[in-house]
Amino acid sequence: MTMQKTIEVDKQQVEKMVDDWKKRVSDLYSTIELWLKDSDYYIKRGSKLKMYEELMSQFNVHATDVDTADIYKDNKIVLTIMPIGLWVIGANGIVDILSNKGSCKLVDTSEQFETPQWKLFNGNKKNGVEFNKQSFFQLLNK
Amino acid sequence: MNIFDELGKIYSEIDNICASIQVQARSKRQRKKESADFRKRQFNNQAYFLFMFTRLEDRVRDISDTLIDNKVATLTDWKTKRTWEIIHKQKSNDSLHFMNRVALLTPKGQIDYNLIKQYYTQRNNIGHGGSFTIAISIPTVIADMKRFYKDLKG
């Protein structure tokens, strides 16, 4: 896992990070939507999660909402995707993926404002695996 | 199996059960139940994080105690020994701060030191009745704790 660079932070920077996080999450859902095309599954953006992390409070940045998403098969939820936090020790954001069989984590190991590098941690792989169409379908069919 | 893998396994078993119930509640649009299970998972994160951090604290204490005792017992040049005698006194009256012990084992201000400091801040938040001020990934915590346990040396 990469270490984050130390950068000077101000209110504008925090707002930019929050916007970037929301975009990365939204792009993630769009990517999954593409992967699910022509399959028995579909993704639907679900309820919103309130986002108000410590740095936002520190710099007086307003709370905001971030989308969750659900993946359905036969009109039943099979996976739920919940963005848990942007500021994480040793990573650039973390997302929970929940199913009837348990949970796993999707961790963005990229540096700030760089192209996301999502890694999937599902408990049995200590260092995580690249999150791509193959690992995603393995998770769906687990 | 080391203690962190063992704790990680138990943590995952509990988290998986709660996650499964959370998804079922979400499917049935039982919002209160979904929130309650989300909260249970947060408490599980906090409990196991704290448990794991205490193992690291023990390790840091053990290695730094040995280092300090060895220095006081073996150094003969007063100019070098005097600092260690002061540290030894702090150790004996239990006033040697945890992060100062860490600084004896890994360079202050560098990656491992800073990472332990970040975890220590979270440990203090939880230990004093608060919650995480940043998101925590338990698989990452386990990997970091195992590495610290192995790499920190006197």
Side-chain angles (χ1 to χ4, degrees), chain A residues 16 21-22 24 27 44 51 66 83 115 118 124 128 139:
Chain A
K16 204 176 149 193
W21 172 236
K22 288 169 78 170
R24 277 185 284 141
D27 289 349
K44 203 169 151 187
M51 179 185 182
V66 59
T115 310
W118 295 106
N124 49 14
L139 186 66

Side-chain angles (χ1 to χ4, degrees), chain A residues 104-121:
Chain A
C104 57
K105 312 269 179 214
L106 205 50
V107 177
D108 187 356
T109 59
S110 69
E111 295 291 343
Q112 256 156 24
F113 305 123
E114 287 182 3
T115 310
Q117 289 171 24
W118 295 106
K119 271 195 167 183
L120 183 67
F121 290 82

